[in-house]
Amino acid sequence: MELMMTFITGAISSICIGLTTNYIYDKIKNHSSIRSRKSGLEFEFKIKFKFIKK
């Protein structure tokens, strides 16, 4: 059970770090460009957990 919680925590933190770096990169890229472009971040996130008690 502890190993599964560690795995879930690691996966969620990896996703958060990836989204944060993409957001920062997007802001830097838009700030440095001459033309003003709108960029959006659209994603669909689905997680299903199934816990079985024995």
Side-chain angles (χ1 to χ4, degrees), residues 21-41:
T21 53
N22 281 343
Y23 178 76
I24 292 170
Y25 174 76
D26 207 22
K27 288 295 180 184
I28 291 172
K29 186 176 70 172
N30 284 340
H31 183 69
S32 65
S33 67
I34 296 172
R35 293 180 281 157
S36 66
R37 290 183 287 169
K38 285 191 174 181
S39 65
L41 178 65

Side-chain angles (χ1 to χ4, degrees), residues 7-21:
F7 174 76
I8 291 170
T9 306
I12 290 173
S13 64
S14 297
I15 291 170
C16 290
I17 289 171
L19 289 174
T20 304
T21 53

